[in-house]
Every structure is written in structure tokens, then in C-alpha cells.
Amino acid sequence: MLTLYGKTLTSRLMLGTAQYPSPKILTEAIAASGTEVITVSLRRETAEGSGAGFWDILRESGAHILPNTAGCHSAQEAVTTARMARELFGTNWIKLEVIGDSDTLQPDVFGLVEAAEILCADGFEVFPYTTDDLVVGARLVAAGCRVLMPWGAPIGSGQGLRNPEALRTMRAHFPDIPLVVDAGIGRPSDACAAMELGMDAVLLNTAVARAGDPVTMARAMAGAIEAGRAGFEANPMERRDMAVPSTPLLGLAELA
């Protein structure tokens, strides 16, 4: 079980809702993934005019809605968008994004911390999209965030985990804070690797939405996350520099 801001979840997969080929495929992908948290960008969906059908899909999924501030490039933009999302969705949950670079979509960590301080003080339960930097993570926790969402790689890149050692270090440094890898996951093996590092969940969008078969990919991601978590909890063997025989030598017959 995973608990985020007092809500207990059985699924450790969070799914984005953008870029799907059709509403039907989005609906089927959500169901196939088993997710209990779906994210939606207020700015993007308002700009694209998705209409009532899109909102019906979100409501009928039964999942928790995690609005996000995608597309915001300043703390004030993000704060304003978060407050609008709270009014629209009736939730204090907000995935906080403050983008600092238009090419890499890397978070502006200074604006991120500023916005997090304002929103946490305003009663929001903030899920900050951040880098894998320990100091930034500590500042976000000090601001009131009870979840951290470090990136695996740039948004939509599908590069997987570019710095697994940094994520492993974050896990050790924040043992009691849920860590959700957000951005960069491209394949089920990437999601499994994140969970084997001890991450608590994975949030992904493009890897499913842009797959040749989004529904099958959603199901595959769910299975990979479950397997990776089980592998972490099983306390896997350490890597070795040399071969070690699995069959004991003691008791073997000596053949002349």
C-alpha cells in the first residue's frame, strides 16, 4: 500500500491523460493500467478545448485527480493555475511544475521552492516535479511538501533513468518521504528499474499515450511497476565481481 497525503492507494502507477489518439483509447488505457491517480493539465486542456467528454472520462475512471501546473514558467503563474485547479476539481492536490528551460523542460528549482512555500501555506498538498538534487529536495520538504517527484530524464524523452545513482541517494537521504519518479520513462524496463531502486511510485504519460498500442503498454507498465516493487522488497542479492557456483562443491564425487 502507498499513502500520499492521507490517501491510501494500491496501485503505484500514476498516469497522465494528454496526447492519446482518442477518448476511447484513453478510457481503456486508464482501466488497463489499474491506476488510482490521473494527472491533468488545466492550462493544456483549457487551451485545447477538450470539452465535457474529457471531464466525463476523468470522473468515471474513479481515480483521484491530480491537477498539474504544466506550462507555467514562473512561481506566480504556477500559484495562480493551482488555485484555479482547486476551484475546478475541488481538490487540494496539485502537481507543481515550474519550468526553467524551454528545450529540456527542466524545473526552475528556485521558482519551484517559492511556489511550494506559497501553496503549502495556502493548504495545498503539493507534489513537486523537481530534479534529483538533495538540497532542492530538502528545501521542498522544509516548505511543507510531503512527496517529492524527481525526474528520471527530460519530459517526453523516453530516455529512462539518466542518473540512477542520484535517485538511489535520494532514497537514502529521504527515507520517510514518498518518492515518485516523474518524466523520462519510456519502457516498462525503465519503470521496473525505478521501482527496484526503492522509489514509491512512477508517473508517466508519453510512454503510454504515444505507444503503438497504448492499452497494452499501460498494462505492461503496471506489471513492470509491480514486479520492480516486489524485487525491491525482496532485498535482492548484491552484484559480484566474480562468478560464484550455485552448486556446492562439498560432497561432489571425485572421478579419477
Side-chain angles (χ1 to χ4, degrees), residues 198-222:
M199 300 297 105
D200 293 282
V202 169
L203 192 155
L204 53 87
N205 186 162
T206 309
V208 170
R210 291 304 189 189
D213 184 342
V215 178
T216 298
M217 183 60 78
R219 189 176 296 112
M221 287 293 186

Side-chain angles (χ1 to χ4, degrees), residues 153-174:
I155 293 172
S157 68
Q159 294 177 11
L161 307 182
R162 294 210 303 187
N163 196 346
E165 287 305 316
L167 294 174
R168 184 178 286 110
T169 301
M170 284 194 80
R171 176 70 290 162
H173 196 77
F174 300 105

Side-chain angles (χ1 to χ4, degrees), residues 64-243:
H64 297 289
I65 305 298
L66 177 59
N68 68 57
T69 63
C72 293
H73 290 262
S74 72
Q76 190 53 56
E77 260 191 301
V79 168
T80 299
T81 302
R83 287 171 173 162
M84 292 172 61
R86 179 160 65 178
E87 290 296 319
L88 179 61
F89 294 105
T91 179
N92 286 324
W93 277 20
I94 191 72
K95 180 192 169 192
L96 180 60
E97 297 184 30
V98 181
I99 300 302
D101 183 84
S102 298
D103 292 327
T104 65
L105 301 181
Q106 178 170 332
D108 172 359
V109 295
F110 304 100
L112 182 67
V113 171
E114 179 185 350
E117 290 174 340
I118 295 170
L119 292 173
C120 288
D122 196 24
F124 281 88
E125 295 170 327
V126 179
F127 296 68
Y129 165 60
T130 184
T131 61
D132 49 25
D133 185 277
L134 295 182
V135 175
V136 176
R139 293 290 179 86
L140 290 167
V141 171
C145 298
R146 295 295 172 261
V147 176
L148 294 175
M149 304 184 81
W151 67 346
I155 293 172
S157 68
Q159 294 177 11
L161 307 182
R162 294 210 303 187
N163 196 346
E165 287 305 316
L167 294 174
R168 184 178 286 110
T169 301
M170 284 194 80
R171 176 70 290 162
H173 196 77
F174 300 105
D176 300 321
I177 298 293
L179 300 180
V180 181
V181 169
D182 178 18
I185 299 297
R187 292 168 173 76
S189 56
D190 301 330
C192 186
M195 298 304 294
E196 287 180 338
L197 289 174
M199 300 297 105
D200 293 282
V202 169
L203 192 155
L204 53 87
N205 186 162
T206 309
V208 170
R210 291 304 189 189
D213 184 342
V215 178
T216 298
M217 183 60 78
R219 189 176 296 112
M221 287 293 186
I225 288 170
E226 184 176 346
R229 181 65 185 184
F232 170 74
E233 291 177 343
N235 191 17
M237 64 175 285
E238 296 293 330
R239 295 181 184 273
R240 296 165 173 166
D241 294 331
M242 299 178 62

